[in-house]
Amino acid sequence: MVKLRLKRCGRKQRATAVYRIVAIDVRSRREGKDLRKVGFYDPLTNQTYLNVPAILYFLEKGAQPTGTVQNLLKKAEVFKELPSKK
């Protein structure tokens, strides 16, 4: 199963970490090998970059976003672009 989750990057032992939003296998650890980088999030400046087509691709394939990533996607209104299933 694939999840969309945050992957920490930046300097070690620094409180103001920045995160990449990645598609990653559930069994991998936080800094493990990711399938694809689909975004970027800086909580200090509240700056977000999202690769919307890649995110939509993984969501259509059944990827589950974590709670924090789901909140970021809601703020960016990504779920409105997802085709509804009938």
Side-chain angles (χ1 to χ4, degrees), residues 58-75:
F58 281 108
L59 289 174
E60 289 172 356
K61 296 294 182 186
Q64 297 293 315
T66 59
T68 307
V69 173
Q70 188 168 7
N71 291 339
L72 291 171
L73 297 179
K74 279 183 186 175
K75 285 181 187 175

Side-chain angles (χ1 to χ4, degrees), residues 10-57:
R11 289 182 13 194
K12 290 194 287 184
Q13 303 297 322
R14 189 163 183 193
T16 57
V18 292
Y19 297 91
R20 290 188 191 273
I21 301 169
V22 296
I24 194 166
D25 187 40
V26 174
R27 297 165 288 185
S28 297
R29 55 198 180 105
R30 185 181 66 187
E31 279 84 21
K33 179 77 172 152
D34 52 79
L35 300 173
R36 186 164 179 192
K37 296 175 181 84
V38 294
F40 173 84
Y41 173 59
D42 185 0
L44 190 64
T45 60
N46 213 8
Q47 182 181 7
T48 307
Y49 165 76
L50 300 171
N51 184 353
V52 177
I55 292 171
L56 291 176
Y57 170 79

Side-chain angles (χ1 to χ4, degrees), residues 1 4-5 9 18 22 31 35 42 47 79 85-86:
M1 179 182 209
L4 296 175
R5 73 164 90 144
C9 57
V18 292
V22 296
E31 279 84 21
L35 300 173
D42 185 0
Q47 182 181 7
F79 290 115
K85 293 182 181 179
K86 291 185 180 180

